[in-house]
Amino acid sequence: PCIQLNVLEAFVSKLRSQFVKQEPSFEVRAADGVPLEMLTEEFIATEKVVEGYLRAIFDDAANDGLQSNIHTDQLAGGFSVVWVRTDYVNEYSFEQNIIVERVFDPTMTFFDPLARTSHKGDGSYCGMLIPYTKERFAQEYGEKAADGIKFQNSGAIGGFSWSYKNQTDDIILVAYMFEKKSKKRKIVKLSNGDVIPLDNYKELLSRWDDITQPPAVLDERETDVEMIVHYQFCENKELYYEETDYKHLPLIFVDGNSTLIKGDASTSQGDAPTAGGNAGATQQMTRPYVYNAVGAQRAMNYAGQTISAEIENMVMHKWVVALEAIPDNDKYLPAYTNPQEASVLVYNAFDDKTGQPLQGPREVQRTQTPPIVENTFMNSVQTIQATLGSYDAQQGNIDPSMSGRAIMQGAMQADGAAGPYLINYIKAWNRIGQVVIDLIPKYYKTPRSLPVIDMDGKRRFQIVNAPKSMQQEQAQDREQQQQGDMNFDAKGKEQQQSVSLSYEPHTLQLRIEAGVNSAVQKQIAMDQVVRLSASNESFQAFINERGLPYLLDNLEIRNVDSLKVEAEEWMQELKAQKEAAAQQPSPQQMEMETIKEIEM
């Protein structure tokens, strides 16, 4: 029987479900070598806003499950590709947003073979193929661009064709290629420690309206500045050319757990004859999570098919009997034809014609399936489990000696073999963050509001790049607030301080690490807090007084974000009540004052 017993999908799905609970931790800080005089309050505020904006970009709720989809590509396909691009906010806007999205088909991308880093950002070029319908292609590039394109596979190079028919639609492949180029540019070092391009310094002088003197130029030199050139072409037609503001390649390769292989003198991939003369070439082989367990899965399928064939071909006959031994009387025939009914099996002991004794009926002996088939089938799951390095499947068995704490610890440590996929995922996200940090000051120049997610998980909008006049008004409002004259806007909330995003990208660096706040780890953290509170009175007092936000942060319930907001407001009200109570005199003080008044 052509049946499949796929158990590999369950291991991949388990890792996917565990990854959903992971929350990578972000940290944006000043780059190494940044002068101390640059580490002002404004610079630190910019760090926090950029960090919160990166959390908002990478949030799965805002980008259609981007992180989960990429990790699924890693596990099931061996790799994925992310595209960092910019686009207008809407069709009537002149402002652009930075967009991070997964390439729809990672197999239709290409990278520089000489790239060495895991994200391939050190390569000289990268690109992807995007399918266009003939109508959309003509609308985007003009009717003449589609002239001469034949929608058939004839003349394809190595099986590849730039155009083809997809059912009733004519499809044209357009290559988006991004290439690194360098150009000479003058940079200057200023007296305040900044290093900026000379053109930016001239623009700074033209807009300088402060009473103080602008920073003086201490030194200048020429440097090579990398830029990305964007091409779009089809066959031998160049359709688009642009010199972008990008410094890094916008396509980021998200490796799974690949390895480098080298063919021998007669093969290109170690197992196939070489036709193109690239014998001995080193190639990157991408491997999905279940790659090494495919053989065990096939063995399980084959054993299961063998067992199913035995069941399908099972002999249903119950008796072997000589024809002469069967009685002619219809009264005794149902015992032979319907063995499910309880009856007595009657037979002729002697042949009526010859008088020779006849052998009695005997049961049909079924041939047993070889034990190796059943053993192979039963042990295949354990073999697959050992091959993948996933050991928590045994927790489904009821074992009285296994405690709940042991089960939780096992769930955390069971998938250590899948660590390379998470490590390469984090490497790719660090690269994506670097590209985004480089683009923020180039595309977010006007006053606007950006979505940010703070370290405690709160979502809000931050005003950025407000004019100086607005910032001065906000400064006056803050002074009034500090003096007790609270100034509120129409919504009744405190006015927000604007943050400038006009920083130099090389002054910030990003570090993204795997988060430690999965569902199982949160449960373990709650258990530790409970046990520490029970064993230490000082710790219990601290948790009761100030530890509520930490307990809620490790809580997995519905609407926990709203609960955090309500809890914070409640703690502020409780603090205000305690301060008011502290200012009121105690009964002893009131009694003493009453006695003094009577004596006077």
Side-chain angles (χ1 to χ4, degrees):
C2 185
I3 62 174
Q4 299 291 325
L5 304 166
N6 186 9
V7 298
L8 296 182
E9 178 68 19
F11 289 92
V12 175
S13 299
K14 179 173 66 71
L15 290 179
R16 291 176 60 191
S17 63
Q18 290 177 356
F19 180 80
V20 172
K21 298 295 183 180
Q22 293 288 339
E23 300 176 9
S25 60
F26 295 80
E27 180 187 2
V28 176
R29 59 184 178 86
D32 296 337
V34 172
L36 293 177
E37 53 268 19
M38 287 187 61
L39 302 179
T40 60
E41 293 184 1
E42 291 78 9
F43 185 83
I44 296 175
T46 301
E47 288 181 359
K48 298 302 180 184
V49 171
V50 172
E51 181 180 305
Y53 181 58
L54 287 173
R55 289 195 189 95
I57 290 179
F58 296 160
D59 183 35
D60 272 353
N63 51 33
D64 193 26
L66 174 65
Q67 299 185 54
S68 177
N69 293 336
I70 293 173
H71 195 57
T72 300
D73 283 345
Q74 287 182 284
L75 297 172
F79 70 98
S80 186
V81 179
V82 177
W83 184 16
V84 181
R85 63 182 181 90
T86 59
D87 198 1
Y88 291 103
V89 177
N90 54 59
E91 60 270 21
Y92 294 104
S93 176
F94 288 93
E95 295 181 342
Q96 298 191 52
N97 278 340
I98 299 174
I99 301 174
V100 181
E101 63 183 13
R102 168 186 171 270
V103 173
F104 179 74
D105 188 353
T107 64
M108 296 180 69
T109 59
F110 54 92
F111 294 87
D112 186 357
L114 298 180
R116 292 293 177 264
T117 56
S118 61
H119 51 72
K120 300 189 182 299
D122 60 334
S124 299
Y125 64 88
C126 66
M128 58 183 172
L129 296 173
I130 297 181
Y132 281 73
T133 62
K134 185 178 180 180
E135 292 76 14
R136 183 189 171 196
F137 182 84
Q139 182 180 2
E140 186 78 17
Y141 302 106
E143 295 287 347
K144 293 183 179 180
D147 293 343
I149 296 179
K150 298 180 180 180
F151 297 92
Q152 54 187 3
N153 292 330
S154 61
I157 301 175
F160 173 78
S161 178
W162 286 95
S163 57
Y164 58 92
K165 284 186 175 294
N166 181 18
Q167 296 180 354
T168 59
D169 295 330
D170 295 331
I171 304 297
I172 302 174
L173 291 178
V174 178
Y176 282 42
M177 180 174 174
F178 306 93
E179 182 185 12
K180 279 184 182 179
K181 287 189 176 181
S182 60
K183 60 180 181 180
K184 296 290 185 180
R185 194 173 187 182
K186 277 192 174 182
I187 58 174
V188 294
K189 183 176 182 180
L190 305 182
S191 56
N192 60 359
D194 293 349
V195 177
I196 61 175
L198 180 60
D199 297 338
N200 293 5
Y201 180 69
K202 293 179 179 179
E203 182 181 358
L204 175 66
L205 294 179
S206 64
R207 296 187 290 106
W208 191 267
D209 57 354
D210 200 348
I211 300 177
T212 60
Q213 292 292 329
V217 176
L218 300 180
D219 196 5
E220 68 176 48
R221 70 178 181 90
E222 277 193 348
T223 185
D224 292 327
V225 179
E226 288 185 342
M227 58 175 292
I228 304 300
V229 178
H230 179 197
Y231 303 92
Q232 294 179 17
F233 59 90
C234 177
E235 293 187 351
N236 58 350
K237 298 179 182 179
E238 183 178 314
L239 306 173
Y240 180 82
Y241 175 85
E242 179 190 13
E243 294 183 358
T244 69
D245 295 330
Y246 287 52
K247 179 182 178 181
H248 307 288
L249 293 175
L251 294 182
I252 293 90
F253 183 82
V254 186
D255 193 7
N257 187 19
S258 65
T259 185
L260 296 178
I261 58 174
K262 187 173 183 179
D264 55 29
S266 60
T267 62
S268 60
Q269 297 183 359
D271 57 355
T274 302
N278 59 345
T282 301
Q283 300 180 5
Q284 183 178 7
M285 178 182 176
T286 57
R287 299 176 296 177
Y289 173 68
V290 297
Y291 178 80
N292 293 322
V294 171
Q297 175 67 74
R298 289 177 176 173
M300 182 178 182
N301 290 341
Y302 188 68
Q305 291 167 4
T306 303
I307 295 174
S308 300
E310 290 285 345
I311 296 174
E312 183 181 37
N313 299 320
M314 185 181 297
V315 177
M316 302 304 295
H317 307 297
K318 297 296 183 181
W319 309 105
V320 177
V321 61
L323 180 61
E324 295 79 5
I326 300 177
D328 294 334
N329 193 339
D330 294 339
K331 177 181 179 181
Y332 303 111
L333 287 180
Y336 290 90
T337 59
N338 192 6
Q340 283 79 14
E341 291 186 1
S343 61
V344 177
L345 198 64
V346 178
Y347 71 99
N348 297 324
F350 299 94
D351 191 350
D352 294 339
K353 296 181 181 180
T354 62
Q356 297 291 330
L358 300 174
Q359 185 178 3
R362 58 184 176 87
E363 293 183 353
V364 175
Q365 298 295 326
R366 295 175 180 172
T367 304
Q368 295 294 329
T369 303
I372 190 174
V373 177
E374 183 179 357
N375 293 337
T376 301
F377 180 78
M378 298 300 296
N379 295 330
S380 293
V381 176
Q382 288 77 9
T383 303
I384 293 173
Q385 184 177 331
T387 303
L388 296 178
S390 179
Y391 302 106
D392 62 341
Q394 63 183 355
Q395 295 171 5
N397 301 327
I398 300 177
D399 186 358
S401 63
M402 182 175 290
S403 64
R405 191 173 302 166
I407 292 177
M408 290 191 297
Q409 294 289 346
M412 291 176 56
Q413 303 173 4
D415 296 306
Y421 295 88
L422 184 59
I423 292 173
N424 287 324
Y425 171 86
I426 295 299
K427 288 181 181 179
W429 276 114
N430 276 284
R431 180 63 177 183
I432 295 171
Q434 292 175 1
V435 177
V436 173
I437 288 176
D438 179 71
L439 294 179
I440 286 176
K442 299 175 182 177
Y443 286 89
Y444 294 162
K445 298 181 179 180
T446 58
R448 60 187 299 183
S449 62
L450 294 180
V452 297
I453 298 179
D454 295 330
M455 187 178 297
D456 56 1
K458 294 181 180 178
R459 293 170 173 81
R460 60 183 178 87
F461 283 88
Q462 173 67 47
I463 299 175
V464 297
N465 300 329
K468 286 187 176 181
S469 58
M470 183 182 298
Q471 295 181 12
Q472 291 174 356
E473 293 178 0
Q474 293 175 350
Q476 295 176 359
D477 293 339
R478 289 192 298 273
E479 290 180 359
Q480 294 176 0
Q481 293 166 12
Q482 293 175 358
Q483 295 173 1
D485 183 12
M486 300 298 293
N487 184 12
F488 291 88
D489 60 10
K491 293 184 179 180
K493 293 185 178 181
E494 186 179 341
Q495 291 188 358
Q496 189 184 68
Q497 180 182 4
S498 175
V499 176
S500 174
L501 295 181
S502 59
Y503 61 86
E504 291 296 328
H506 64 269
T507 60
L508 295 179
Q509 64 184 24
L510 171 69
R511 184 180 67 179
I512 301 178
E513 295 180 345
V516 295
N517 41 358
S518 66
V520 174
Q521 289 167 325
K522 287 182 178 181
Q523 188 174 356
I524 293 175
M526 289 289 291
D527 182 62
Q528 290 177 345
V529 171
V530 172
R531 287 187 289 111
L532 285 174
S533 300
S535 61
N536 191 304
E537 295 181 358
S538 299
F539 184 79
Q540 182 180 8
F542 170 77
I543 290 295
N544 292 336
E545 185 72 20
R546 300 183 181 181
L548 183 59
Y550 304 98
L551 293 176
L552 295 179
D553 194 45
N554 287 279
L555 198 60
E556 285 283 334
I557 61 173
R558 187 177 180 182
N559 294 331
V560 66
D561 293 335
S562 301
L563 183 60
K564 290 179 181 179
V565 176
E566 296 289 343
E568 184 177 357
E569 294 178 357
W570 177 78
M571 291 183 65
Q572 291 177 355
E573 294 176 359
L574 188 62
K575 182 179 180 181
Q577 293 176 2
K578 289 183 177 180
E579 291 177 353
Q583 294 176 358
Q584 294 180 356
S586 63
Q588 292 80 3
Q589 293 177 347
M590 295 178 62
E591 183 178 357
M592 293 296 295
E593 292 178 358
T594 304
I595 295 174
K596 290 181 180 179
E597 292 178 358
I598 294 175
E599 292 178 350
M600 293 176 61

